[in-house]
Amino acid sequence: MSLPHAILTALLEKPSSGLELTRRFDKSIGYFWSATHQQIYRELGRLEAEGLIRALPAEQPARGQKKSYEVLPAGRAELARWTAAAQDPKPQRDVLLLRLRAAAVVGTAGLEADLRRHLELHRRQLAEYQEIERRDFPPGRDAPQDRLRHLVLRAGIDLETFWTQWLTHALAEFADLPDTD
């Protein structure tokens, strides 16, 4: 149920077309909640049918023109209701951790190289988040909205920091393992 709320949030930040939403998901919301172009368009249709958003009137009528959407009061109320509702954390599911557990019984062939690949990917993501933090959250930018957005970004930075540290530790452990292939 969170994709509609992610879309409502993005539209309240800035009325947008489906294409613009897709681009914004790729560059911000997608860091913690991803969606495909098709999922976004399908959800826009549902939200509009439910009376939570509406297409803005076109400035000039034209065939095939992209529609921009804005949130209606019912959509804002739904987002406020959802934001205030309690929700339990989701259990952690990670294929890499499951693969490590399986390696304990079938051997570690190929796994060390993939751990190194994961470490590089997490290092790149961490660097990207840190660059966003430097660019978008300079000292003194502390309006309530900015502080909450920065808090979300800090979660990403902290998670990537965890993964880079954990993978570095895991690779050190691999170096001390007897050959189990």
Side-chain angles (χ1 to χ4, degrees):
M1 180 91 179
S2 296
L3 178 56
H5 298 102
I7 291 172
L8 288 171
T9 299
L11 289 175
L12 279 169
E13 290 173 342
K14 179 183 175 191
S16 304
S17 68
L19 180 59
E20 291 165 337
L21 279 174
T22 299
R23 288 181 181 146
R24 288 174 58 207
F25 264 71
D26 288 345
K27 293 183 179 178
S28 62
I29 293 172
Y31 288 127
F32 57 90
W33 196 269
S34 62
T36 66
H37 185 77
Q38 293 84 1
Q39 289 171 316
I40 290 171
Y41 274 94
R42 192 169 37 249
E43 202 56 53
L44 285 170
R46 284 188 197 125
L47 291 168
E48 189 173 26
E50 292 173 10
L52 301 179
I53 65 171
R54 73 174 179 131
L56 293 169
E59 292 176 16
Q60 298 176 356
R63 186 180 165 152
Q65 184 177 17
K66 65 181 180 182
K67 289 193 234 179
S68 286
Y69 296 89
E70 70 177 354
V71 177
L72 295 171
R76 179 180 281 277
E78 168 53 24
L79 188 59
R81 181 209 60 76
W82 179 78
T83 301
Q87 189 172 41
D88 293 336
K90 298 262 184 209
Q92 175 69 27
R93 290 177 59 175
D94 191 283
V95 173
L96 181 61
L97 298 177
L98 182 57
R99 290 174 56 218
L100 277 172
R101 181 71 182 250
V105 293
V106 299
T108 61
L111 201 47
E112 185 174 0
D114 203 37
L115 288 172
R116 290 186 191 290
R117 187 180 69 82
H118 276 252
L119 178 57
E120 181 54 32
L121 292 170
H122 285 287
R123 283 180 174 156
R124 277 193 246 147
Q125 190 65 65
L126 177 58
E128 187 173 342
Y129 286 167
Q130 289 170 330
E131 177 55 32
I132 291 169
E133 184 178 43
R134 278 188 290 281
R135 181 190 69 219
D136 294 349
F137 298 101
R141 187 170 177 186
D142 61 354
Q145 301 90 335
D146 291 330
R147 290 175 64 188
L148 292 174
R149 289 182 185 115
H150 191 196
L151 191 59
V152 172
L153 179 61
R154 282 301 321 169
I157 290 169
D158 292 348
L159 285 169
E160 294 303 327
T161 299
F162 161 79
W163 280 112
T164 57
Q165 290 172 347
W166 182 86
L167 285 159
T168 300
H169 176 76
L171 285 164
E173 286 290 326
F174 257 72
D176 289 340
L177 290 177
D179 190 21
T180 59
D181 299 338

